């Protein structure tokens, strides 16, 4: 993998990163303004392989696009022939945070690895995975396990555990009764 230096090919590379981020922003739970927001990826280093269409960001990686924030030690982007992308964020921990559409709530997750497929809009949090739904800073729901699979389109998530490991766990906070007025 070659190290990029500022030059004209860098603009093509940045366009590819933007295309990946655009694909990330299509999630159903994302604030609609995220879909139109510019994408910014910061890291201590980046390496791009034009032949394999793989870009690796390392060191204090932060991807922001509207309300979406992905953080980790490393982000690997793979551009697919159909225009979609897959990303893998790793870190101790890797994290994401994104505002839910239409409510003052956030989905917040952390694990050692987060896989995201822009085509299916599925995020897989692996190894010490935790997913929370927050209203402000108040936890409304929390799930944890070895793997949390979260589908942004259907708003469905599940927890998997390996044999002999911690059990799947969910914590639900009481919800206020609907107003009768």
């Amino acid at each position: 993998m070659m190290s990029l230096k500022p030059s004209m090919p860098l603009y093509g590379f940045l366009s590819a990163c933007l295309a990946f981020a655009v694909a990330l922003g299509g999630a159903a739970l994302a604030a609609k303004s995220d879909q139109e927001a510019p994408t910014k990826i910061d890291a201590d280093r980046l390496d791009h392989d034009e032949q394999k269409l793989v870009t690796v960001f390392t060191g204090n990686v932060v991807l922001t696009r509207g309300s979406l924030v992905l953080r980790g030690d490393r982000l690997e982007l793979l551009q697919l022939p159909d225009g979609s992308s897959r990303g893998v964020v790793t870190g101790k921990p890797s994290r994401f945070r994104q505002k839910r559409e239409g409510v003052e709530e956030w989905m917040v997750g952390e694990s050692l690895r987060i896989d995201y497929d822009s085509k299916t809009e599925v995020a897989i949090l692996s190894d010490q995975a935790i997913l929370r739904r927050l209203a402000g800073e108040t936890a409304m729901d929390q799930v944890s396990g070895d793997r949390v699979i979260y589908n942004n389109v259907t708003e469905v998530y599940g927890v998997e555990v390996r044999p002999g490991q911690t059990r799947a766990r969910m914590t639900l906070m009481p919800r206020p009764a609907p107003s009768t007025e």
Side-chain angles (χ1 to χ4, degrees):
M1 203 170 281
M2 64 178 209
S3 185
L4 286 179
K5 297 177 184 167
S7 66
M8 280 308 267
L10 179 60
Y11 294 108
F13 163 72
L14 291 176
S15 295
C17 290
L18 179 59
F20 173 79
V22 167
L24 275 179
L29 288 183
K32 288 191 188 288
S33 61
D34 289 356
Q35 297 173 7
E36 299 166 2
T39 300
K40 181 178 175 184
I41 303 170
D42 291 318
D44 295 338
R45 178 185 172 101
L46 65 90
D47 294 292
H48 178 69
D49 184 328
E50 187 64 32
Q51 296 297 316
K52 295 179 181 177
L53 297 176
V54 174
T55 307
V56 177
F57 297 87
T58 54
N60 301 308
V61 178
V62 180
L63 180 147
T64 56
R65 183 164 195 258
S67 71
L68 172 67
V69 179
L70 293 172
R71 295 179 183 274
D73 299 325
R74 184 174 191 272
L75 167 62
E76 183 172 329
L77 273 61
L78 171 63
Q79 300 168 53
L80 301 173
D82 66 1
S84 65
S85 300
R86 289 190 195 128
V88 177
V89 181
T90 55
K92 294 186 180 179
S94 53
R95 297 180 176 167
F96 79 88
R97 179 177 172 101
Q98 187 167 35
K99 187 176 184 317
R100 292 188 62 214
E101 181 63 31
V103 292
E104 290 302 314
E105 294 180 351
W106 294 80
M107 295 305 292
V108 178
E110 68 179 53
S111 61
L112 298 181
R113 175 184 172 126
I114 300 173
D115 291 72
Y116 186 85
D117 185 322
S118 68
K119 189 172 187 175
T120 62
E121 298 183 17
V122 171
I124 301 172
L125 290 74
S126 303
D127 297 318
Q128 302 172 23
I130 299 171
L131 180 68
R132 296 178 184 95
R133 182 174 59 91
L134 302 177
E137 293 301 316
T138 303
M140 301 305 291
D141 302 320
Q142 176 175 307
V143 294
S144 60
D146 294 319
R147 279 177 36 129
V148 175
I149 301 169
Y150 181 59
N151 186 316
N152 290 326
V153 174
T154 63
E155 298 185 353
V156 172
Y157 51 85
V159 177
E160 297 176 356
V161 293
R162 292 184 291 247
Q165 298 296 313
T166 304
R167 295 171 47 118
R169 174 167 288 162
M170 181 174 207
T171 303
L172 299 170
M173 297 304 294
R175 295 181 187 230
S179 168
T180 58
E181 294 177 25

